[in-house]
Amino acid sequence: MTTAAPHPDRGRHLLARAQRHLTWAMPLAYVAAAVVPGAGQWARNLPCGTLPLPVGPTTLTPQTLLLGYVLFTAALQVRTRELTVLLRRPGLLAAGTAANTALPLLVLTLLAGTFLLLPDADGGSGLLTGLALIAAMPVAGGATVWGTRAGGNHTLVVGLVMSSTLLSPLTIPLTLAGASAVTSGDYSAALARMAQVSGGALAATGVVAPCLAGLAVRAALPERRAAAALPWLKLLALAAALTLTYLNACGAFADLIARPRPALLTLATLAAAVMCAASFLLGWCLARALKAAHADAVALAFTSGMNNSSAGAVLATTRFPDHPHVLLPILAYSLLQKVLAGYADSTLARRGRRTGPPTRPTGPEAAAPCPATGQEAFR
């Protein structure tokens, strides 16, 4: 007796329902981390083996495994033949990739002068370190969902997500090295050490490898099988992303509840808001300076303002376990970039209707874009 495979239409229906509640699900994951941090603290310490790297063996954690699956599923949605179109116009792809690396680091440098004047030097440098980990990360896959909904060039957004991800073994160490110059004390030394020793290797194994695996599997799968499997894989990725959010938040919230620091929390939120909003705005200004078409300008704005905060949070929990406040700006950025993306979505979509039809994807994914791996994978 054989068991029938799950029907893709049912999977798409369940996925669509889950997507509608995603905006509320993420804050609920934060609330769960604040109310029941013990379960997350226990799960974070579960042994998951080690991974041999050129810089030495690295201990695998539930967070790294969850992030790997989410990144794999996000890349599984990309059809590489779409990206060949960008080779005919590499200028915007190069400009967008450079902007994703340079703009957050520019904003971080501008914020550093204010932070280092704070009486709480440890808190100020800790928040800067959290912002630096965001700035170092590649474009969030959520940009493919939000940018396309706002009328952006879908192919350009996907290309920028993939190019920034594949170049992350180079860009992450460069950004961390730059961030070490604007922080102080142990934080500066830790960022410099990560840039020189382990940043590139961690990016290659923890970010690039899952993405390449997803691209390879998608290229090998017949289109019909991929279309049938993707809704269910995306549902699992959504569950993994929510679990990852909960695990990442547990450490920071447990410490915040034990030692309330409302001023530090407020500052972390404000700094994350400034960095996120400025990155969106600078990306849009860059596109206008390049005289890009509206759809391309939307793509550059979203890819400049949305970084993979999940990867940054995993790096913070594994590299700064004794400084949980490093996570505060990362968690704030994770929520705020969705709020700003939603606002930009509604604003730019209205403008796009006046300037022409948006560039949207085609194929099986067009009927059901996936915030499950879009908003959370490469988040």
Side-chain angles (χ1 to χ4, degrees):
M1 180 176 178
T2 59
T3 302
H7 198 283
D9 287 342
R10 178 168 174 76
R12 282 191 285 268
H13 174 70
L14 292 174
L15 181 61
R17 291 185 62 182
Q19 290 170 1
R20 286 196 295 269
H21 298 289
L22 185 61
T23 304
W24 297 103
M26 298 309 299
L28 285 177
Y30 285 2
V31 171
V35 175
V36 195
Q41 296 280 53
W42 172 81
R44 281 157 51 117
N45 295 319
L46 288 175
C48 298
T50 58
L51 184 68
L53 294 178
V55 296
T58 296
T59 302
L60 293 175
T61 66
Q63 297 101 295
T64 56
L65 294 179
L66 288 168
L67 177 64
Y69 174 71
V70 173
L71 294 174
F72 168 82
T73 308
L76 196 62
Q77 301 173 64
V78 177
R79 291 176 293 180
T80 53
R81 63 178 178 270
E82 292 182 358
L83 304 181
T84 58
V85 177
L86 295 174
L87 298 179
R88 302 170 194 163
R89 296 194 313 163
L92 282 177
L93 183 65
T97 304
N100 174 257
T101 301
L103 295 182
L105 186 58
L106 172 63
V107 178
L108 177 71
T109 304
L110 296 176
L111 287 172
T114 302
F115 273 54
L116 295 180
L117 294 176
L118 295 175
D120 185 356
D122 179 76
S125 281
L127 296 186
L128 277 178
T129 299
L131 293 173
L133 295 179
I134 297 170
M137 293 303 113
V139 179
T144 61
V145 175
W146 291 106
T148 300
R149 281 174 38 174
N153 184 335
H154 175 78
T155 302
L156 179 58
V157 176
V158 172
L160 289 170
V161 170
M162 296 312 301
S163 66
S164 65
T165 300
L166 297 178
L167 289 174
S168 60
L170 298 175
T171 58
I172 287 179
L174 286 174
T175 305
L176 293 178
S180 70
V182 298
T183 52
S184 61
D186 293 342
Y187 296 103
S188 177
L191 289 171
R193 186 166 55 251
M194 290 168 60
Q196 294 173 1
V197 178
S198 59
L202 289 173
T205 56
V207 177
V208 175
C211 292
L212 290 178
L215 291 174
V217 171
R218 180 58 186 268
L221 274 180
E223 194 63 33
R224 186 177 63 180
R225 291 192 177 183
L230 273 173
W232 300 99
L233 294 175
K234 291 174 182 180
L235 276 171
L236 289 175
L238 175 57
L242 290 172
T243 305
L244 180 60
T245 299
Y246 166 73
L247 293 180
N248 285 333
C250 280
F253 287 173
D255 178 73
L256 196 63
I257 292 170
R259 296 187 304 157
R261 302 171 74 179
L264 194 64
L265 178 60
T266 302
L267 185 60
T269 304
L270 289 175
V274 169
M275 186 172 187
C276 188
S279 297
F280 270 99
L281 181 60
L282 290 173
W284 177 260
C285 292
L286 172 65
R288 304 316 294 170
L290 295 173
K291 295 180 169 51
H294 176 78
D296 295 334
V298 173
L300 287 176
F302 275 83
T303 53
S304 297
M306 301 191 74
N307 280 35
N308 188 335
S309 56
S310 287
V314 170
L315 202 57
T317 56
T318 55
R319 296 291 160 172
F320 298 94
D322 298 328
H323 302 280
H325 61 280
V326 171
L327 267 170
L328 292 178
I330 302 177
L331 298 175
Y333 192 98
S334 181
L335 281 179
L336 289 170
Q337 73 176 349
K338 295 177 181 60
V339 173
L340 288 173
Y343 173 76
D345 176 5
S346 60
T347 302
L348 294 174
R350 287 196 299 270
R351 183 175 297 184
R353 284 194 289 271
R354 295 195 298 267
T355 58
T359 302
R360 295 196 178 272
T362 58
E365 289 87 346
C370 178
T373 53
Q375 291 182 10
E376 302 311 325
F378 305 110
R379 231 180 49 179

